[in-house]
Amino acid sequence: VVEGTVIAMIAGGNVLLEGVPGVGKTRLVRSLGRVFNLPFSRIQFTPDLMPADVTGTNIIVKDESGNSSFEFQPGPIFSNIVLADEINRATPRTQAALLESMEERQVTVDGETYPMAVPFMVMATQNPIESYGTFPLPEAQVDRFFMRLSMGYMTREQELAVISRPSTLTLVQELEQVVTYQETAALQKQIQEVAVSDEVAQFILDIVESTRNTGELVSGVSTRGAIALYKAAQVTAAMEGRDYVIPEDVVREAIPVLAHRINATSGARSDAERYLAQKLSGVCVPLEDLE
């Protein structure tokens, strides 16, 4: 999960983080902000949260002469790392306030457009089990998430270490910066130089097209999903110390990048992941011609 969030950060994508309450989703996002040394904001999504509470609004201010004018008061969305906590508890209208910032990296309020900070990433959490008082995310919004990750329960040994150590809040505050803002921005540009051969690009499209035009799925992977898998493979290759992508990089990231973009007829997440795994095993992997 940690590796996935770093891949999404470098690729400039957003993350949908699922897991039952109390497994460390919020702490993970806070830790990410500390080690990247990037401004962090948290939005607690509730049914009464309004779009202006997310994006900001224009307020009336008066100068020394008594003249009134409108001044834009930015909302918590204007940060480098934004935690949208329990995003599925907000109404669809409020959820839609995130769409423009997640895709176009800008926010429009009262006809004025304001650019987002760079780098920018939304990490949204949701409880996949509890349905009372929640509003399912629309497909258009789910598709804007670069990757969906799931935080399960720890092993017994891991949990024993966690409950016997000092406060998690103290540990997060003691984390040190490991990269600068300039290094992060430079890395995001350099990732685009990782080579992807025509054969590997065709392999990506083979996987994507295998999810379309089939009765087992309500909808297949979009073009945005294909682009996301392309970028994720580039970042994975770079993290392995290579300046070129191999098919194994694509297979490694296919499920976290694509599974949430397809809808199984049963509607179950596990069915979508199982179907995608079957398709991955059936798609012909390109081989290198040694001659």
Side-chain angles (χ1 to χ4, degrees), residues 20-37:
V20 297
V23 293
K25 300 186 296 296
T26 304
R27 289 288 180 250
L28 170 62
V29 184
R30 287 190 178 276
S31 301
L32 192 68
R34 295 281 296 186
V35 297
F36 277 93
N37 194 31

Side-chain angles (χ1 to χ4, degrees), residues 80-261:
N80 290 102
I81 300 179
V82 178
L83 171 61
D85 212 357
E86 296 184 300
I87 187 174
N88 56 336
R89 290 197 175 277
T91 61
R93 180 184 178 188
T94 303
Q95 292 177 11
L98 287 173
L99 293 181
E100 185 179 14
S101 63
M102 291 172 63
E103 186 67 19
E104 279 83 32
R105 296 298 190 264
Q106 63 182 28
V107 168
T108 303
V109 178
D110 295 338
E112 290 289 332
T113 300
Y114 304 92
M116 309 302 299
V118 179
F120 173 78
M121 180 174 69
V122 171
M123 292 194 66
T125 68
Q126 69 172 357
N127 183 350
I129 300 176
E130 187 177 352
S131 59
Y132 179 76
T134 60
F135 301 86
L137 300 180
E139 291 182 12
Q141 184 164 356
V142 172
D143 195 47
R144 280 173 168 81
F145 283 103
F146 183 85
M147 191 178 285
R148 180 179 66 181
L149 301 171
S150 178
M151 293 191 68
Y153 292 111
M154 304 178 189
T155 64
R156 186 179 182 88
E157 292 74 17
Q158 292 171 334
E159 200 160 14
L160 181 62
V162 168
I163 64 176
S164 60
R165 72 185 182 190
S167 159
T168 305
L169 181 60
T170 302
L171 294 176
V172 171
Q173 291 175 343
E174 292 176 351
L175 288 175
E176 297 181 356
Q177 172 189 353
V178 295
V179 292
T180 65
Y181 165 84
Q182 292 81 3
E183 289 172 334
T184 303
L187 186 58
Q188 289 182 329
K189 293 182 179 179
Q190 292 172 359
I191 283 299
Q192 302 173 16
E193 300 175 8
V194 176
V196 181
S197 66
D198 291 340
E199 291 80 6
V200 173
Q202 292 289 348
F203 178 54
I204 292 175
L205 290 182
D206 288 342
I207 296 174
V208 170
E209 289 178 353
S210 70
T211 65
R212 303 170 180 171
N213 303 321
T214 173
E216 299 178 70
L217 296 177
V218 178
S219 61
V221 175
S222 65
T223 303
R224 184 188 289 118
I227 295 173
L229 183 56
Y230 188 97
K231 291 181 178 179
Q234 286 180 306
V235 178
T236 301
M239 292 177 69
E240 293 293 329
R242 286 181 274 103
D243 61 355
Y244 58 91
V245 174
I246 60 177
E248 285 79 359
D249 300 326
V250 178
V251 174
R252 179 177 174 180
E253 302 301 332
I255 291 181
V257 172
L258 300 182
H260 64 287
R261 304 174 193 272

